[in-house]
Amino acid sequence: MPKMKKFTTALLVFLVVLAIPLWGAEKSGTFIDMLAFSNEAWAMAETEHAESIYVNQKFILTTGQKVLAKKLADEQKQKEAKAEAEAEAKAQAEAEAKAQAQAEAKAKVAAGAAKKEAKAATKAAMAIPHTDDKGTYLGEFVITAYCSCAICCGEGGGKYTASGTVPKVSQTVAVDTRIIPMGSTIYIEGVGTRIAEDRGGLIKGKKLDIYMKGHETALKWGRQTRKVWLQK
């Protein structure tokens, strides 16, 4: 009996000694971490519904839950990185498109300016008097027409020109004598030769007024632009 009593006492001491670390481990969460390495904990990591274990009024994540949380966090980072890369690519494409549009607009403006300058240069060159087979080129003139009626020349006018001659069809033309001297012979593109025999209050600068027979004929001519040469 004494031996049995000693054995029982030793057994109780052993159980108490064994129970104390386990109780402390459970309180500190170490026990839960130990369980996390079981097959059941790893199986939990493969699902999206792993639950927390409540110990000492705190949620202690098992290893399975930690793996799942890390997996979800990594996936979220990958999504954010992908979205950021797509946003950067889109912004770069928009910037390149904008730069290309600006370059095209500048090129278009430059081309238009160059064309305008070339046209102005050509016009200026043509405006400079030069001699050819038709005479001295004077440039382009605005050509109108008139007759001897009261509408064109007023009451009592039209019988004689400013130079004192009687106006004639296919001969008389009114000019600005500051540009074309009175009595000069000029050649009008598509019209032919005319003599500067008249002038008018509205004939200023590069303008000519051709004498025609009848008011209807003059109206029909209207207002045209033609090249003019001074012959003599």
Side-chain angles (χ1 to χ4, degrees):
M1 291 298 292
K3 291 182 178 181
M4 181 60 70
K5 186 176 181 180
K6 290 181 179 180
F7 175 76
T8 303
T9 302
L11 179 60
L12 290 173
V13 171
F14 174 77
L15 291 175
V16 170
V17 172
L18 179 62
I20 290 174
L22 292 177
W23 179 82
E26 184 177 1
K27 290 297 183 179
S28 64
T30 304
F31 182 68
I32 302 304
D33 291 337
M34 290 170 63
L35 291 177
F37 288 98
S38 67
N39 291 332
E40 182 180 359
W42 285 110
M44 290 173 64
E46 297 177 356
T47 69
E48 296 183 1
H49 304 288
E51 298 180 354
S52 300
I53 300 178
Y54 190 81
V55 178
N56 291 337
Q57 298 181 351
K58 293 184 179 179
F59 285 95
I60 301 178
L61 295 177
T62 65
T63 299
Q65 290 171 303
K66 292 178 181 178
V67 171
L68 178 60
K70 186 176 184 301
K71 180 181 177 181
L72 295 176
D74 290 341
E75 290 178 353
Q76 182 63 27
K77 287 181 179 179
Q78 291 176 359
K79 289 181 181 179
E80 292 176 354
K82 183 179 179 181
E84 185 177 355
E86 290 177 350
E88 290 179 356
K90 183 178 180 181
Q92 184 176 359
E94 290 177 350
E96 290 176 354
K98 184 177 180 180
Q100 183 177 357
Q102 290 177 344
E104 290 177 354
K106 288 181 180 179
K108 187 176 181 180
V109 171
K115 185 176 181 181
K116 187 175 181 180
E117 289 178 1
K119 186 176 180 180
T122 301
K123 187 174 181 180
M126 291 297 292
I128 300 174
H130 62 273
T131 302
D132 54 27
D133 57 342
K134 296 184 182 67
T136 301
Y137 180 68
L138 300 181
E140 292 185 344
F141 282 63
V142 175
I143 314 294
T144 54
Y146 75 108
C147 67
S148 298
C149 73
I151 298 175
C152 292
C153 299
E155 292 293 337
K159 294 183 179 181
Y160 297 97
T161 65
S163 63
T165 62
V166 176
K168 296 179 181 180
V169 177
S170 300
Q171 174 178 309
T172 304
V173 61
V175 301
D176 184 346
T177 55
R178 296 173 301 178
I179 297 177
I180 301 175
M182 189 69 76
S184 300
T185 300
I186 61 175
Y187 179 82
I188 303 172
E189 177 187 27
V191 176
T193 302
R194 294 290 185 274
I195 299 175
E197 295 180 326
D198 208 354
R199 57 172 173 249
L202 298 178
I203 308 305
K204 303 294 182 182
K206 289 188 174 183
K207 293 183 180 180
L208 298 177
D209 208 10
I210 300 173
Y211 182 78
M212 292 187 174
K213 184 178 181 180
H215 193 70
E216 292 298 326
T217 305
L219 288 177
K220 187 176 180 180
W221 171 269
R223 183 185 181 92
Q224 302 182 31
T225 300
R226 301 294 177 89
K227 295 178 180 178
V228 176
W229 286 262
L230 177 63
Q231 295 186 328
K232 60 181 180 179

